[in-house]
Amino acid sequence: MPSTLRVGFAGTPDFAADILAALLASQHQVVCVFTQPDRPAGRGRKPQASPVKQLAERHQLPLYQPLTLRDEESRAPLAAATLDVLVVAAYGLILPTEVLELPRFGALNVHASLLPRWRGAAPIQRAIEHGDSESGVTIMQMDEGLDTGDMLLKKSVPIDATTTGGSLHDALAAAGAEAIVTALDEIAAQQQKIAGTAQPQQGVSYAAKLSKAEALLDFSGTASNLALRVRAFNPWPVCWAYAGNSTLRVWEASAEPSSDTAAPGTVLSADSNGIVVACAEGALRITRAQLPGTKPLSVKELLASPKRAEVLPQGSTLNAQEAH
């Protein structure tokens, strides 16, 4: 009969909930769950339970939401759980050495990149934004550094011209779920830590946290770079630009060559095939967008909607630099 590990889990968003679901479906026993405290969300700013909390409550798992794990009192449930291993996925809190040393086989992190590339908070989106041809997940033995621990297992996922932040998130969550169960099965079979590989010093990059402000499109850049950002920031924070006195959220767009010498931000055409905007190099063809009070629509639908008047006609300007 396969050995069963006593597993603690720490995570917060949807990505982490997918990992937790895989652990619950495995041969191993999830004995406690840690997640971030409820945060205000939505228009009403009401406290909202994280996806991990919702899943843990459905399975009636012991659940903890400390503000920190740096004091002995907050770590007490982990110490009492007599863990074989702690699995961490997008938790959002720094784990001190005292936590990492509690489980018999240490703490494993499910990180959504091929380390050492894209250490940090937003590896999924940064990979697309920078034109990477592949991403993946790394199962890492955690240490005190920021995603610096030894690598135990990697699983690659391709990025193509249709990949968005949302689709890559889902693919990596599935890959991470499979990979962490494989790693735990191997630990259980050997009853010891898996021998890891140290991360190379070459190729290290950092994935800074996303902000809404950086999703503002700057047409003085290249169309190809803007198209990458549109894909990377879908479904959050979603790229946008000023459209007259309104804002246009851009959900889908592609880059194309252009010999037009119009100033960056100039609308070159707006028809059922898209809104074509001049950039410093090339043009950005926006094919799916959203105005305030509408859902995301194809440009054909948007131009046929009552909100059409807010979409700038040919010769007008989408100006990311204008003060509003």
Side-chain angles (χ1 to χ4, degrees), residues 125 165-166 209-215 231-239 249 251:
Q125 295 82 3
K209 186 177 180 181
L210 296 176
S211 71
K212 290 184 179 180
E214 69 177 307
R231 284 172 36 218
F233 296 169
N234 174 356
W236 196 91
V238 184
C239 285
R249 302 183 86 198
W251 287 84

Side-chain angles (χ1 to χ4, degrees), residues 29-254:
Q29 181 186 7
V30 178
V31 296
C32 61
V33 173
F34 283 70
T35 192
Q36 287 274 306
D38 296 359
R39 307 291 190 198
R43 291 186 177 180
R45 305 304 293 165
K46 294 181 178 179
Q48 184 171 314
S50 73
V52 163
K53 179 177 180 177
Q54 295 174 45
L55 180 59
E57 288 183 334
R58 287 200 299 272
H59 287 266
Q60 300 180 316
L61 298 170
L63 179 69
Y64 305 93
Q65 296 179 271
L67 290 169
T68 178
L69 285 168
R70 294 196 177 279
D71 59 85
E72 194 171 341
E73 183 180 353
S74 66
R75 296 194 296 268
L78 277 171
T82 319
L83 298 178
D84 290 314
V85 67
L86 175 65
V87 173
V88 182
Y91 180 30
L93 281 184
I94 299 296
L95 301 186
T97 303
E98 292 84 353
V99 169
L100 302 180
E101 292 177 347
L102 279 173
R104 183 160 63 122
F105 302 123
L108 303 186
N109 179 243
V110 184
H111 186 73
S113 82
L114 297 174
L115 291 171
R117 187 160 176 79
W118 302 129
R119 295 173 179 172
I124 297 172
Q125 295 82 3
R126 300 304 179 195
I128 299 173
E129 180 188 10
H130 286 78
D132 292 5
S133 61
E134 69 172 351
S135 182
V137 290
T138 304
I139 306 301
M140 177 190 69
Q141 190 83 47
M142 295 182 72
D143 60 17
E144 288 184 274
L146 176 63
D147 301 325
T148 55
D150 287 355
M151 303 176 294
L152 309 184
L153 193 156
K154 283 185 172 184
K155 193 172 179 65
S156 297
V157 172
I159 296 175
D160 62 27
T162 66
T163 303
T164 65
S167 65
L168 185 56
H169 168 282
D170 293 349
L172 293 177
E178 181 181 339
I180 189 61
V181 172
T182 298
L184 293 181
D185 288 350
E186 187 172 339
I187 291 171
Q190 297 181 11
Q191 286 298 299
Q192 64 181 18
K193 289 184 178 180
I194 304 172
T197 303
Q199 294 187 34
Q201 295 300 311
Q202 207 168 19
V204 174
S205 61
Y206 290 91
K209 186 177 180 181
L210 296 176
S211 71
K212 290 184 179 180
E214 69 177 307
L216 177 63
L217 291 171
D218 181 357
F219 296 103
S220 65
T222 68
S224 57
N225 285 344
L226 294 185
L228 288 172
R229 296 190 112 202
V230 169
R231 284 172 36 218
F233 296 169
N234 174 356
W236 196 91
V238 184
C239 285
W240 62 282
Y242 292 112
N245 293 320
S246 189
T247 56
L248 184 72
R249 302 183 86 198
V250 179
W251 287 84
E252 293 178 11
S254 60

